[in-house]
Short mmCIF file of all heavy atoms in Angstrom, two decimals:
data_model
loop_
_atom_site.label_atom_id
_atom_site.label_comp_id
_atom_site.label_asym_id
_atom_site.label_seq_id
_atom_site.Cartn_x
_atom_site.Cartn_y
_atom_site.Cartn_z
N LYS A 235 -0.58 -11.06 -49.03
CA LYS A 235 0.08 -10.74 -47.76
C LYS A 235 0.07 -11.96 -46.84
O LYS A 235 -1.01 -12.50 -46.55
CB LYS A 235 -0.66 -9.61 -47.03
CG LYS A 235 -0.75 -8.30 -47.81
CD LYS A 235 -1.39 -7.22 -46.94
CE LYS A 235 -1.64 -5.97 -47.74
NZ LYS A 235 -3.03 -5.91 -48.27
N PRO A 236 1.24 -12.42 -46.37
CA PRO A 236 1.25 -13.54 -45.45
C PRO A 236 0.92 -13.13 -44.01
O PRO A 236 1.36 -12.07 -43.54
CB PRO A 236 2.70 -14.07 -45.53
CG PRO A 236 3.50 -12.86 -45.89
CD PRO A 236 2.60 -11.94 -46.70
N THR A 237 0.13 -13.97 -43.34
CA THR A 237 -0.20 -13.77 -41.92
C THR A 237 -0.01 -15.13 -41.23
O THR A 237 -0.47 -16.15 -41.75
CB THR A 237 -1.64 -13.30 -41.77
OG1 THR A 237 -1.85 -12.10 -42.49
CG2 THR A 237 -2.01 -13.06 -40.29
N SER A 238 0.64 -15.12 -40.07
CA SER A 238 0.84 -16.40 -39.34
C SER A 238 -0.43 -16.74 -38.57
O SER A 238 -1.27 -15.88 -38.27
CB SER A 238 2.04 -16.30 -38.42
OG SER A 238 1.69 -15.62 -37.24
N VAL A 239 -0.50 -18.02 -38.21
CA VAL A 239 -1.63 -18.49 -37.40
C VAL A 239 -1.70 -17.71 -36.08
O VAL A 239 -2.78 -17.25 -35.69
CB VAL A 239 -1.51 -20.00 -37.17
CG1 VAL A 239 -2.56 -20.48 -36.14
CG2 VAL A 239 -1.63 -20.77 -38.45
N LEU A 240 -0.57 -17.55 -35.45
CA LEU A 240 -0.59 -16.85 -34.15
C LEU A 240 -0.91 -15.36 -34.35
O LEU A 240 -1.62 -14.78 -33.51
CB LEU A 240 0.76 -17.02 -33.45
CG LEU A 240 1.03 -18.42 -32.89
CD1 LEU A 240 2.46 -18.56 -32.41
CD2 LEU A 240 0.05 -18.76 -31.76
N GLU A 241 -0.43 -14.77 -35.42
CA GLU A 241 -0.81 -13.36 -35.72
C GLU A 241 -2.33 -13.24 -35.90
O GLU A 241 -2.93 -12.27 -35.44
CB GLU A 241 -0.11 -12.88 -37.00
CG GLU A 241 1.35 -12.51 -36.82
CD GLU A 241 2.00 -12.13 -38.15
OE1 GLU A 241 1.62 -12.68 -39.21
OE2 GLU A 241 2.88 -11.24 -38.10
N LEU A 242 -2.91 -14.22 -36.58
CA LEU A 242 -4.34 -14.18 -36.82
C LEU A 242 -5.13 -14.28 -35.50
O LEU A 242 -6.10 -13.51 -35.30
CB LEU A 242 -4.78 -15.31 -37.78
CG LEU A 242 -6.16 -15.16 -38.34
CD1 LEU A 242 -6.20 -14.17 -39.50
CD2 LEU A 242 -6.73 -16.49 -38.81
N VAL A 243 -4.70 -15.18 -34.64
CA VAL A 243 -5.36 -15.33 -33.33
C VAL A 243 -5.27 -14.02 -32.55
O VAL A 243 -6.26 -13.52 -32.00
CB VAL A 243 -4.74 -16.46 -32.54
CG1 VAL A 243 -5.33 -16.54 -31.10
CG2 VAL A 243 -5.00 -17.83 -33.26
N ASN A 244 -4.08 -13.44 -32.53
CA ASN A 244 -3.87 -12.18 -31.79
C ASN A 244 -4.69 -11.03 -32.37
O ASN A 244 -5.27 -10.21 -31.64
CB ASN A 244 -2.39 -11.82 -31.77
CG ASN A 244 -1.56 -12.78 -30.96
OD1 ASN A 244 -2.08 -13.43 -30.05
ND2 ASN A 244 -0.30 -12.89 -31.28
N ALA A 245 -4.76 -10.99 -33.72
CA ALA A 245 -5.55 -9.94 -34.38
C ALA A 245 -7.02 -10.09 -34.05
O ALA A 245 -7.74 -9.11 -33.80
CB ALA A 245 -5.33 -9.97 -35.89
N PHE A 246 -7.52 -11.34 -34.02
CA PHE A 246 -8.93 -11.60 -33.70
C PHE A 246 -9.23 -11.10 -32.31
O PHE A 246 -10.26 -10.42 -32.05
CB PHE A 246 -9.25 -13.07 -33.82
CG PHE A 246 -10.69 -13.40 -33.54
CD1 PHE A 246 -11.62 -13.40 -34.55
CD2 PHE A 246 -11.13 -13.70 -32.26
CE1 PHE A 246 -12.96 -13.65 -34.32
CE2 PHE A 246 -12.46 -13.98 -32.00
CZ PHE A 246 -13.38 -13.96 -33.03
N GLU A 247 -8.34 -11.38 -31.36
CA GLU A 247 -8.57 -10.94 -29.97
C GLU A 247 -8.58 -9.42 -29.87
O GLU A 247 -9.44 -8.84 -29.20
CB GLU A 247 -7.46 -11.51 -29.07
CG GLU A 247 -7.53 -13.02 -28.88
CD GLU A 247 -6.47 -13.54 -27.92
OE1 GLU A 247 -5.37 -12.94 -27.82
OE2 GLU A 247 -6.74 -14.57 -27.24
N ARG A 248 -7.64 -8.80 -30.59
CA ARG A 248 -7.54 -7.31 -30.54
C ARG A 248 -8.76 -6.65 -31.19
O ARG A 248 -9.33 -5.73 -30.60
CB ARG A 248 -6.25 -6.88 -31.29
CG ARG A 248 -6.11 -5.37 -31.49
CD ARG A 248 -4.83 -5.03 -32.22
NE ARG A 248 -4.69 -5.70 -33.50
CZ ARG A 248 -5.33 -5.38 -34.61
NH1 ARG A 248 -6.22 -4.39 -34.60
NH2 ARG A 248 -5.10 -6.03 -35.74
N VAL A 249 -9.16 -7.13 -32.35
CA VAL A 249 -10.27 -6.48 -33.09
C VAL A 249 -11.58 -6.63 -32.34
O VAL A 249 -12.39 -5.69 -32.29
CB VAL A 249 -10.37 -7.12 -34.52
CG1 VAL A 249 -11.66 -6.72 -35.19
CG2 VAL A 249 -9.18 -6.70 -35.37
N ASN A 250 -11.81 -7.82 -31.77
CA ASN A 250 -13.12 -8.12 -31.20
C ASN A 250 -13.17 -8.02 -29.68
O ASN A 250 -14.25 -8.15 -29.08
CB ASN A 250 -13.55 -9.52 -31.67
CG ASN A 250 -13.75 -9.57 -33.16
OD1 ASN A 250 -14.49 -8.75 -33.72
ND2 ASN A 250 -13.06 -10.48 -33.83
N GLY A 251 -12.04 -7.79 -29.04
CA GLY A 251 -12.01 -7.63 -27.57
C GLY A 251 -12.42 -8.87 -26.83
O GLY A 251 -13.08 -8.79 -25.79
N VAL A 252 -12.10 -10.04 -27.41
CA VAL A 252 -12.41 -11.32 -26.71
C VAL A 252 -11.15 -12.17 -26.68
O VAL A 252 -10.24 -12.03 -27.48
CB VAL A 252 -13.54 -12.09 -27.48
CG1 VAL A 252 -14.86 -11.42 -27.32
CG2 VAL A 252 -13.20 -12.30 -28.95
N LYS A 253 -11.12 -13.08 -25.70
CA LYS A 253 -10.00 -13.97 -25.56
C LYS A 253 -10.24 -15.28 -26.30
O LYS A 253 -11.37 -15.78 -26.33
CB LYS A 253 -9.76 -14.28 -24.07
CG LYS A 253 -9.01 -13.16 -23.32
CD LYS A 253 -7.77 -12.81 -24.05
CE LYS A 253 -6.60 -12.26 -23.30
NZ LYS A 253 -5.57 -11.78 -24.25
N VAL A 254 -9.18 -15.82 -26.87
CA VAL A 254 -9.26 -17.14 -27.55
C VAL A 254 -8.23 -18.06 -26.87
O VAL A 254 -7.05 -18.03 -27.21
CB VAL A 254 -8.97 -17.01 -29.04
CG1 VAL A 254 -9.03 -18.38 -29.72
CG2 VAL A 254 -9.90 -16.04 -29.74
N PRO A 255 -8.65 -18.85 -25.88
CA PRO A 255 -7.73 -19.78 -25.25
C PRO A 255 -7.11 -20.71 -26.31
O PRO A 255 -7.85 -21.28 -27.11
CB PRO A 255 -8.60 -20.57 -24.26
CG PRO A 255 -9.82 -19.74 -24.08
CD PRO A 255 -10.02 -18.97 -25.35
N HIS A 256 -5.78 -20.82 -26.30
CA HIS A 256 -5.14 -21.67 -27.30
C HIS A 256 -3.89 -22.31 -26.74
O HIS A 256 -3.28 -21.83 -25.77
CB HIS A 256 -4.84 -20.90 -28.58
CG HIS A 256 -3.97 -19.70 -28.39
ND1 HIS A 256 -4.46 -18.47 -27.98
CD2 HIS A 256 -2.63 -19.50 -28.58
CE1 HIS A 256 -3.47 -17.60 -27.90
NE2 HIS A 256 -2.36 -18.19 -28.26
N LYS A 257 -3.53 -23.43 -27.33
CA LYS A 257 -2.31 -24.15 -26.92
C LYS A 257 -1.59 -24.62 -28.17
O LYS A 257 -2.18 -24.83 -29.23
CB LYS A 257 -2.67 -25.37 -26.06
CG LYS A 257 -3.47 -26.43 -26.78
CD LYS A 257 -3.75 -27.67 -25.92
CE LYS A 257 -4.59 -28.67 -26.72
NZ LYS A 257 -4.97 -29.84 -25.94
N ILE A 258 -0.28 -24.76 -28.03
CA ILE A 258 0.53 -25.26 -29.14
C ILE A 258 0.56 -26.79 -29.07
O ILE A 258 0.81 -27.36 -28.02
CB ILE A 258 1.99 -24.73 -29.06
CG1 ILE A 258 2.00 -23.22 -28.88
CG2 ILE A 258 2.79 -25.18 -30.25
CD1 ILE A 258 1.48 -22.42 -30.04
N VAL A 259 0.27 -27.43 -30.20
CA VAL A 259 0.36 -28.87 -30.28
C VAL A 259 1.29 -29.24 -31.46
O VAL A 259 1.82 -28.35 -32.11
CB VAL A 259 -1.03 -29.53 -30.46
CG1 VAL A 259 -1.93 -29.23 -29.26
CG2 VAL A 259 -1.71 -29.06 -31.74
N GLY A 260 1.45 -30.54 -31.70
CA GLY A 260 2.36 -30.96 -32.79
C GLY A 260 1.83 -30.58 -34.15
O GLY A 260 0.68 -30.20 -34.35
N ARG A 261 2.72 -30.63 -35.12
CA ARG A 261 2.35 -30.33 -36.50
C ARG A 261 1.25 -31.29 -37.01
O ARG A 261 1.14 -32.42 -36.50
CB ARG A 261 3.59 -30.45 -37.43
CG ARG A 261 4.68 -29.46 -37.13
CD ARG A 261 5.78 -29.62 -38.15
NE ARG A 261 6.89 -28.67 -37.91
CZ ARG A 261 7.86 -28.43 -38.78
NH1 ARG A 261 7.88 -29.08 -39.93
NH2 ARG A 261 8.84 -27.57 -38.48
N ARG A 262 0.48 -30.81 -37.94
CA ARG A 262 -0.62 -31.60 -38.51
C ARG A 262 -0.22 -32.19 -39.85
O ARG A 262 0.32 -31.46 -40.71
CB ARG A 262 -1.87 -30.70 -38.66
CG ARG A 262 -3.10 -31.40 -39.19
CD ARG A 262 -4.30 -30.50 -39.16
NE ARG A 262 -4.13 -29.28 -39.89
CZ ARG A 262 -5.07 -28.34 -40.05
NH1 ARG A 262 -6.24 -28.50 -39.47
NH2 ARG A 262 -4.83 -27.24 -40.76
N PRO A 263 -0.50 -33.47 -40.10
CA PRO A 263 -0.15 -34.05 -41.41
C PRO A 263 -0.78 -33.30 -42.56
O PRO A 263 -1.96 -32.91 -42.47
CB PRO A 263 -0.72 -35.49 -41.34
CG PRO A 263 -0.92 -35.76 -39.89
CD PRO A 263 -1.16 -34.44 -39.24
N GLY A 264 -0.03 -33.04 -43.60
CA GLY A 264 -0.56 -32.40 -44.80
C GLY A 264 -0.39 -30.86 -44.79
O GLY A 264 -0.59 -30.23 -45.83
N ASP A 265 -0.04 -30.27 -43.67
CA ASP A 265 0.13 -28.81 -43.62
C ASP A 265 1.49 -28.42 -44.24
O ASP A 265 2.49 -29.08 -44.01
CB ASP A 265 0.11 -28.29 -42.17
CG ASP A 265 -1.28 -28.12 -41.64
OD1 ASP A 265 -2.23 -28.14 -42.43
OD2 ASP A 265 -1.43 -28.00 -40.40
N VAL A 266 1.49 -27.35 -45.02
CA VAL A 266 2.75 -26.80 -45.52
C VAL A 266 3.16 -25.62 -44.63
O VAL A 266 2.33 -25.04 -43.94
CB VAL A 266 2.66 -26.36 -47.02
CG1 VAL A 266 2.33 -27.55 -47.91
CG2 VAL A 266 1.63 -25.26 -47.20
N GLU A 267 4.43 -25.29 -44.67
CA GLU A 267 4.96 -24.30 -43.76
C GLU A 267 4.46 -22.88 -44.08
O GLU A 267 4.02 -22.13 -43.21
CB GLU A 267 6.49 -24.30 -43.87
CG GLU A 267 7.20 -23.32 -42.95
CD GLU A 267 8.70 -23.59 -42.94
OE1 GLU A 267 9.12 -24.46 -42.12
OE2 GLU A 267 9.44 -22.98 -43.72
N ALA A 268 4.52 -22.51 -45.36
CA ALA A 268 4.18 -21.14 -45.76
C ALA A 268 3.71 -21.11 -47.21
O ALA A 268 4.32 -21.76 -48.06
CB ALA A 268 5.38 -20.23 -45.57
N VAL A 269 2.66 -20.39 -47.44
CA VAL A 269 2.25 -20.16 -48.84
C VAL A 269 1.40 -18.89 -48.90
O VAL A 269 0.54 -18.68 -48.04
CB VAL A 269 1.48 -21.39 -49.44
CG1 VAL A 269 0.18 -21.63 -48.71
CG2 VAL A 269 1.26 -21.25 -50.92
N TRP A 270 1.74 -18.04 -49.84
CA TRP A 270 0.89 -16.86 -50.11
C TRP A 270 0.97 -16.50 -51.58
O TRP A 270 1.84 -17.01 -52.30
CB TRP A 270 1.21 -15.68 -49.18
CG TRP A 270 2.54 -15.03 -49.35
CD1 TRP A 270 2.84 -13.95 -50.12
CD2 TRP A 270 3.76 -15.37 -48.67
NE1 TRP A 270 4.15 -13.61 -49.99
CE2 TRP A 270 4.74 -14.45 -49.10
CE3 TRP A 270 4.11 -16.34 -47.75
CZ2 TRP A 270 6.07 -14.51 -48.64
CZ3 TRP A 270 5.43 -16.40 -47.29
CH2 TRP A 270 6.37 -15.49 -47.74
N ALA A 271 0.06 -15.68 -52.01
CA ALA A 271 -0.17 -15.46 -53.45
C ALA A 271 0.55 -14.27 -53.99
O ALA A 271 0.68 -13.24 -53.32
CB ALA A 271 -1.67 -15.28 -53.70
N ASP A 272 1.01 -14.41 -55.23
CA ASP A 272 1.26 -13.25 -56.08
C ASP A 272 -0.01 -13.06 -56.86
O ASP A 272 -0.42 -13.93 -57.64
CB ASP A 272 2.45 -13.52 -57.01
CG ASP A 272 2.78 -12.33 -57.89
OD1 ASP A 272 1.86 -11.63 -58.36
OD2 ASP A 272 4.00 -12.09 -58.13
N THR A 273 -0.69 -11.93 -56.69
CA THR A 273 -2.01 -11.73 -57.30
C THR A 273 -1.94 -10.77 -58.51
O THR A 273 -2.97 -10.31 -58.98
CB THR A 273 -3.00 -11.15 -56.28
OG1 THR A 273 -2.49 -9.88 -55.79
CG2 THR A 273 -3.20 -12.08 -55.11
N THR A 274 -0.73 -10.55 -59.04
CA THR A 274 -0.58 -9.59 -60.13
C THR A 274 -1.45 -9.93 -61.32
O THR A 274 -2.09 -9.06 -61.91
CB THR A 274 0.90 -9.55 -60.58
OG1 THR A 274 1.71 -9.30 -59.45
CG2 THR A 274 1.13 -8.48 -61.61
N LEU A 275 -1.49 -11.22 -61.69
CA LEU A 275 -2.24 -11.62 -62.89
C LEU A 275 -3.75 -11.32 -62.71
O LEU A 275 -4.41 -10.75 -63.59
CB LEU A 275 -2.02 -13.10 -63.19
CG LEU A 275 -2.62 -13.57 -64.53
CD1 LEU A 275 -1.90 -12.95 -65.71
CD2 LEU A 275 -2.55 -15.10 -64.62
N ALA A 276 -4.29 -11.73 -61.55
CA ALA A 276 -5.72 -11.46 -61.30
C ALA A 276 -6.00 -9.98 -61.25
O ALA A 276 -7.02 -9.49 -61.77
CB ALA A 276 -6.18 -12.13 -60.00
N ASN A 277 -5.09 -9.23 -60.62
CA ASN A 277 -5.26 -7.76 -60.53
C ASN A 277 -5.29 -7.13 -61.93
O ASN A 277 -6.15 -6.32 -62.24
CB ASN A 277 -4.15 -7.13 -59.71
CG ASN A 277 -4.07 -7.62 -58.26
OD1 ASN A 277 -3.03 -7.47 -57.61
ND2 ASN A 277 -5.13 -8.22 -57.74
N ASN A 278 -4.38 -7.54 -62.78
CA ASN A 278 -4.21 -6.92 -64.09
C ASN A 278 -5.19 -7.46 -65.14
O ASN A 278 -5.78 -6.69 -65.89
CB ASN A 278 -2.77 -7.07 -64.63
CG ASN A 278 -1.78 -6.32 -63.75
OD1 ASN A 278 -2.16 -5.46 -62.97
ND2 ASN A 278 -0.51 -6.67 -63.87
N GLU A 279 -5.36 -8.79 -65.18
CA GLU A 279 -6.19 -9.40 -66.22
C GLU A 279 -7.67 -9.34 -65.87
O GLU A 279 -8.51 -9.06 -66.74
CB GLU A 279 -5.76 -10.86 -66.43
CG GLU A 279 -4.64 -11.03 -67.41
CD GLU A 279 -4.98 -10.59 -68.81
OE1 GLU A 279 -6.06 -10.96 -69.33
OE2 GLU A 279 -4.19 -9.84 -69.38
N LEU A 280 -8.01 -9.66 -64.63
CA LEU A 280 -9.43 -9.70 -64.25
C LEU A 280 -9.90 -8.31 -63.78
O LEU A 280 -11.09 -8.05 -63.70
CB LEU A 280 -9.65 -10.70 -63.10
CG LEU A 280 -9.45 -12.19 -63.41
CD1 LEU A 280 -9.66 -13.02 -62.16
CD2 LEU A 280 -10.38 -12.65 -64.52
#
């Protein structure tokens, strides 16, 4: 399941009832835009 960085921050605040001050800055070298797993093989084989 893909989750965005901002979704994760918002979920953390909601679950724990605390604020996480944050700001948007430029992209970081080496980061890819999106990646998530197909876990079918691990689910079925392992």
Side-chain angles (χ1 to χ4, degrees):
K235 300 186 188 95
T237 302
S238 78
V239 172
L240 289 170
E241 282 177 327
L242 193 80
V243 173
N244 292 335
F246 182 89
E247 291 184 331
R248 172 180 54 77
V249 167
N250 296 306
V252 289
K253 280 308 208 189
V254 180
H256 57 279
K257 64 177 179 183
I258 308 295
V259 297
R261 295 184 181 192
R262 181 173 58 177
D265 279 346
V266 298
E267 181 169 274
V269 64
W270 67 93
D272 182 322
T273 60
T274 307
L275 188 67
N277 299 160
N278 294 344
E279 273 297 312
L280 294 178

